[in-house]
Amino acid sequence: MQAPANGWDKNEFRDPQIWKEGDTWHMVVGAKKWNGSTNMPVVAEYTTNDLGAATWTGPTVLAEGNNADNFFECPDVFTMGDYTYLVYSEINGSDRKVHYLYKANGANGWTTPDIDVLDGQGFYAGKTASDGTDRYIFGWCSRRAGLTNDGGVDGDGWSGTLVTHKLYRKTDGTLALTVPHTFLNTFNVSRTLLPREKTEGVTESDGSYTL
């Protein structure tokens, strides 16, 4: 694979995703492109008919930001039904989130939905995968500084928890999130909890406890 073309930041060119459509291989990367005064964040696409080729066609800009301090990480392109989606995670100071664009299959331009965020600020670096029937998005939920609700997002570095959502497509083509059905099917059986020990002042009535 060739190095980034002239005018592209060689230090911010990463997170590739590769997939095949027909006889053509596609690759998207997070990158930064010189706009005449500074490097701006973009998602760029390359194509080839030979996966082992040293030179691919491109890059073509699929999405472009307007803040030089930002970067589009972990780009992900996939198709659900009649629509194609581009998901990316935007480094934007303390307001980092997972965003997406969409378009009808075969259309040229991308549409930004009114609500283009998947989950909230605590969900980041989301990547998707399908089991052949449903598609899921997996992301990182960082621990806040001091393990408090109002602590800094990166307070404990890269520590945190894996979060998995099930994606579903609404009738207008936009995306929404739900709990994976496999999780719901696993935790849908009522169990009777038996206390091992009760502290003073705890009362019980028909399986309910009052502190």
Side-chain angles (χ1 to χ4, degrees):
M1 181 66 195
Q2 75 270 34
N6 290 334
W8 294 72
D9 188 340
K10 293 178 174 57
N11 296 317
E12 290 287 14
F13 188 88
R14 52 187 172 88
D15 302 348
Q17 181 208 22
I18 297 177
W19 73 99
K20 191 176 185 182
E21 294 180 9
D23 295 327
T24 303
W25 291 94
H26 299 255
M27 179 179 73
V28 289
V29 296
K32 280 196 169 184
K33 181 183 180 183
W34 184 254
N35 70 352
S37 60
T38 188
N39 285 322
M40 300 300 289
V42 300
V43 174
E45 180 182 26
Y46 292 81
T47 60
T48 184
N49 289 328
D50 178 6
L51 189 59
T55 301
W56 292 36
T57 301
T60 301
V61 174
L62 300 186
E64 185 170 5
N66 56 12
N67 185 337
D69 294 329
N70 292 2
F71 188 78
F72 296 162
E73 294 189 295
C74 305
D76 191 331
V77 176
F78 59 90
T79 298
M80 289 179 67
D82 297 328
Y83 293 89
T84 301
Y85 300 89
L86 167 60
V87 173
Y88 61 91
S89 295
E90 183 176 1
I91 296 177
N92 183 13
S94 62
D95 192 34
R96 62 184 188 185
K97 293 175 182 174
V98 178
H99 298 263
Y100 80 97
L101 308 174
Y102 74 111
K103 64 180 181 179
N105 294 341
N108 291 323
W110 295 93
T111 297
T112 302
D114 292 336
I115 300 176
D116 71 329
V117 175
L118 297 173
D119 204 324
Q121 185 177 341
F123 183 74
Y124 194 70
K127 294 286 288 183
T128 76
S130 173
D131 60 5
T133 302
D134 299 306
R135 182 165 289 271
Y136 303 87
I137 184 167
F138 311 86
W140 167 56
C141 181
S142 64
R143 296 195 315 193
R144 290 183 176 270
L147 301 181
T148 62
N149 290 334
D150 56 357
V153 174
D154 277 331
D156 284 331
W158 286 101
S159 59
T161 304
L162 173 71
V163 174
T164 303
H165 297 295
K166 181 178 176 180
L167 287 167
Y168 69 90
R169 177 178 55 88
K170 295 189 284 188
T171 55
D172 62 356
T174 58
L175 293 176
L177 304 174
T178 188
V179 178
H181 64 276
T182 50
F183 181 90
L184 294 176
N185 292 342
T186 301
F187 295 94
N188 65 350
V189 179
S190 297
R191 302 290 186 184
T192 300
L193 300 180
L194 300 177
R196 296 180 57 187
E197 182 179 353
K198 289 191 295 185
T199 59
E200 184 178 354
V202 176
T203 59
E204 184 267 338
S205 177
D206 295 328
S208 297
Y209 294 85
T210 302
L211 303 181

